[in-house]
């Protein structure tokens, strides 16, 4: 499957809540393949359908050698939190410490409509929360405290890709360290 262009900050599709998947058909399986191929090529630890311009509740992840996908996720988050570096393929070169739940139980379906439950901690928990946020129109910078968010917005405004009419997809060097989600 060919890789797809990754939408960058400023693209309205990144701020729209995605629609629940109801058709578990060949098109959905193709979408999961496109997401997987694009994420691995980037490389990133996760990629949500809105990041390639598709407004459906689907994401993929690739964490610690584990490759997976989830459709229509519903999360149960631990009260215990972690604080660590987070980046995003839709915000190239931007990494900020972000608070997330330490553990997550994610329920949803696979691309065939079969129910699945994914339990993860640390980086997998971070990736699942990050990608589910994308499905809700939320970016990781929205989770930063006021000072960090101002610093992030300053970095975004100063980036070479911000404000371009047709931005070139630029891959983050941080993605190779498992931080590009």
């Amino acid at each position: 499957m060919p890789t797809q262009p990754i939408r960058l900050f400023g693209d309205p599709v990144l701020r729209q809540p995605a629609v629940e998947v109801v058709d578990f058909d060949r098109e959905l399986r193709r979408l999961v393949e496109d997401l997987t191929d694009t994420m691995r090529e980037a490389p990133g630890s996760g990629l949500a359908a809105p990041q390639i311009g598709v407004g459906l509740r689907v994401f993929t992840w690739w964490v610690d050698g584990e490759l997976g996908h989830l459709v229509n996720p519903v999360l149960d988050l631990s009260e215990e939190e972690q604080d660590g570096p987070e980046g995003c393929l839709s915000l190239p070169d931007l990494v900020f410490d972000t608070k997330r739940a330490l553990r997550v139980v994610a329920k949803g379906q696979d691309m065939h409509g079969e129910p699945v439950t994914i339990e993860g901690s640390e980086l997998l928990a971070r990736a699942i929360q990050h990608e589910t946020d994308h499905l809700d129109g939320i970016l990781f910078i929205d989770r930063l405290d006021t000072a960090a968010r101002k610093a992030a917005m300053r970095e975004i405004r100063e980036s070479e890709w911000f404000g371009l009419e047709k931005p070139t997809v630029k891959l983050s060097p941080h993605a190779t360290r498992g931080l590009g989600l």
Side-chain angles (χ1 to χ4, degrees):
M1 285 276 134
T3 60
Q4 301 297 314
I6 296 172
R7 304 297 180 95
L8 299 178
F9 178 84
D11 189 317
V13 72
L14 296 174
R15 292 301 194 171
Q16 298 298 314
V19 177
E20 187 169 324
V21 172
V22 293
D23 295 321
F24 294 83
D25 55 11
R26 186 180 325 176
E27 286 182 38
L28 178 63
R29 291 188 295 278
R30 187 175 305 122
L31 173 61
V32 170
E33 283 183 49
D34 286 351
L35 284 166
T36 301
D37 292 346
T38 303
M39 172 189 62
R40 292 192 71 176
E41 178 72 23
S45 297
L47 191 66
Q51 291 180 274
I52 62 169
V54 179
L56 291 175
R57 296 189 66 78
V58 181
F59 69 82
T60 57
W61 76 85
W62 185 28
V63 174
D64 298 329
E66 181 185 345
L67 183 63
H69 71 276
L70 194 57
V71 180
N72 299 329
V74 176
L75 306 186
D76 182 20
L77 305 175
S78 70
E79 288 186 28
E80 189 177 4
E81 294 181 326
Q82 60 175 316
D83 197 13
E86 194 163 320
C88 181
L89 295 173
S90 293
L91 294 150
D93 301 324
L94 195 72
V95 175
F96 279 85
D97 281 352
T98 307
K99 200 168 283 208
R100 296 281 186 181
L102 180 61
R103 290 179 305 284
V104 66
V105 176
K107 294 182 180 182
Q109 294 140 315
D110 67 13
M111 67 179 124
H112 304 288
E114 296 298 319
V116 293
T117 300
I118 308 298
E119 294 184 40
S121 62
E122 298 178 11
L123 185 56
L124 181 56
R126 180 175 299 281
I128 288 171
Q129 291 169 78
H130 180 107
E131 300 312 329
T132 301
D133 273 356
H134 273 299
L135 303 181
D136 295 331
I138 298 168
L139 300 174
F140 88 96
I141 59 172
D142 300 333
R143 299 220 177 259
L144 301 176
D145 64 36
T146 303
R149 183 167 164 74
K150 283 182 180 180
M153 292 306 296
R154 185 171 35 260
E155 282 190 40
I156 291 167
R157 285 190 303 274
E158 294 171 358
S159 71
E160 62 186 45
W161 54 264
F162 180 67
L164 295 177
E165 194 168 315
K166 293 230 177 209
T168 302
V169 175
K170 184 175 178 199
L171 304 179
S172 170
H174 302 291
T176 60
R177 294 198 310 256
L179 300 174
L181 298 169

